[in-house]
Amino acid sequence: HLILSGNPIGDEGLKHVLELITSSRTLYHVALANTGITDRGIANLAKVLGSTTTFLRCLDLRSNASITDASVD
């Protein structure tokens, strides 16, 4: 488990988390609730998860007020 909820990592910090997600074979749960991630970060996340095999099973993104429906376009 990687629990960063409540830490203001934002989109820049998410880049480092994405590197970890793609390189780890033992990381199954990542909690990123209330971390200041925006639509830009979600777009990067979707690109990485859509093009890379990961072992991730649970991703918690709740309470990030700057994530909108526009991030999935």
Side-chain angles (χ1 to χ4, degrees), residues 1-5 17 20-21 24-33 54-62:
H1 294 297
L2 176 62
I3 301 171
L4 295 172
S5 295
V17 174
L20 184 59
I21 289 171
S24 176
R25 293 179 159 257
T26 59
L27 186 57
Y28 301 104
H29 179 105
V30 176
L32 297 169
T54 71
F55 293 86
L56 195 61
R57 298 293 173 252
C58 180
L59 179 61
D60 180 0
L61 295 168
R62 65 197 148 111

Side-chain angles (χ1 to χ4, degrees), residues 3-47:
I3 301 171
L4 295 172
S5 295
N7 291 289
I9 66 166
D11 295 334
E12 288 303 310
L14 180 60
K15 290 178 184 178
H16 299 288
V17 174
L18 292 175
E19 290 175 18
L20 184 59
I21 289 171
T22 58
S23 65
S24 176
R25 293 179 159 257
T26 59
L27 186 57
Y28 301 104
H29 179 105
V30 176
L32 297 169
N34 192 28
T35 53
I37 296 169
T38 70
D39 287 342
R40 186 179 63 150
I42 294 300
N44 290 334
L45 173 69
K47 186 185 336 181

